[in-house]
Amino acid sequence: MSDVLPGGPEAVPAPPPAKHGWLNFAIDFGPLLVFFLTYKFTSGGTGAFAATAGAIKGTLAFMVAIVIAMAVSKWKLGKISPMLWMSGILVLGFGALTVWFHDERFIVMKPTIIYAAFAILLLGGWALKKPMLKYLLQSALDGLTETGWLALSRNWGLFFAALGVANHVMYELIQAGRMSFDLWLTIKVWGVTALSFLFTLTQLPVMMRNGLAVAEEAEG
């Protein structure tokens, strides 16, 4: 699931739950889209100050949006998943740092920290034969075996690790002046989202081989 960024974006990608798919998508990616649109519509003008001002406004909007997403999750789904809790806490924490220091670097740094944390948690759980993805998502994939959950935990752990490395590389490129914040944000919002969906599709055979009750879900 997600989760989405110091005050910057951060919806964290994860396999969609069996039920309330559209609502989970809105909760996971809605706040990130709010950040993107706010930044794009408020960062007009030239110079670094204009871009930073847009990032600050986007960060504030994102902080409000993630709180609303958590409230909606509790209201409509009856719970706030651990992944959403972690994402929300980091969004608010890094968001406060971004606003206080007026520094976009906190926005770009946050995804790396989140991806690394999830990669360590999932791969560590897999090594210990604990399917941590099952507990993080708190969602039902009817019929999926423990072996299936372990395979998903390993695969998503590797995916998060790759995202973390890629985001850190982009951070270094931005620091070196070889990449713009705008390009990073576009990749974060659209590229990572598309990649997450494509990766989710690659995991469907794994789930089906390990007992996912597709037919029963379709009937329900």
Side-chain angles (χ1 to χ4, degrees):
M1 276 174 85
S2 71
D3 336 84
V4 268
L5 286 180
E10 201 29 43
V12 177
K19 301 178 178 66
H20 305 293
W22 68 270
L23 182 57
N24 278 279
F25 176 83
I27 289 171
D28 290 342
F29 293 97
L32 179 56
L33 186 59
V34 167
F35 175 87
F36 178 80
L37 293 175
T38 304
Y39 172 78
K40 287 297 183 182
F41 284 110
T42 62
S43 60
T46 58
F49 178 77
T52 300
I56 297 301
K57 293 173 184 175
T59 294
L60 289 170
F62 192 81
M63 293 169 72
V64 172
I66 197 71
V67 171
I68 292 174
M70 294 172 75
V72 169
S73 181
K74 181 64 176 177
W75 173 42
K76 299 296 288 186
L77 304 181
K79 67 181 186 300
I80 301 174
S81 73
M83 293 187 86
L84 183 57
W85 267 118
M86 184 179 293
S87 183
I89 290 170
L90 289 176
V91 164
L92 295 174
F94 278 93
L97 290 173
T98 303
V99 173
W100 182 263
F101 290 106
H102 286 64
D103 193 336
E104 293 176 2
R105 288 181 299 175
F106 291 113
I107 298 175
V108 184
M109 287 164 54
K110 187 180 84 57
T112 299
I113 295 171
I114 285 184
Y115 295 147
F118 284 133
I120 292 170
L121 187 62
L122 293 176
L123 292 175
W126 170 73
L128 296 173
K129 305 300 182 186
K130 300 288 186 182
M132 297 305 297
L133 189 65
K134 179 179 180 180
Y135 308 116
L136 285 174
L137 291 182
Q138 291 187 343
S139 68
L141 292 175
D142 293 343
L144 190 63
T145 64
E146 289 295 294
T147 299
W149 277 112
L150 275 173
L152 287 182
S153 294
R154 177 199 61 205
N155 295 348
W156 277 95
L158 293 172
F159 182 68
F160 280 130
L163 287 180
V165 170
N167 195 76
H168 182 70
V169 169
M170 288 189 287
Y171 172 80
E172 293 295 338
L173 290 174
I174 291 173
Q175 291 301 103
R178 296 167 59 187
M179 184 177 184
S180 68
F181 178 81
D182 279 47
L183 177 57
W184 171 84
L185 183 58
T186 300
I187 292 172
K188 180 68 186 71
V189 175
W190 306 115
V192 172
T193 300
L195 250 161
S196 300
F197 279 119
L198 288 174
F199 186 76
T200 299
L201 291 178
T202 69
Q203 299 308 295
L204 289 177
V206 176
M207 291 187 282
M208 294 176 70
R209 285 197 305 269
N210 287 279
L212 183 66
V214 177
E216 293 179 9
E217 288 175 20
E219 292 172 6

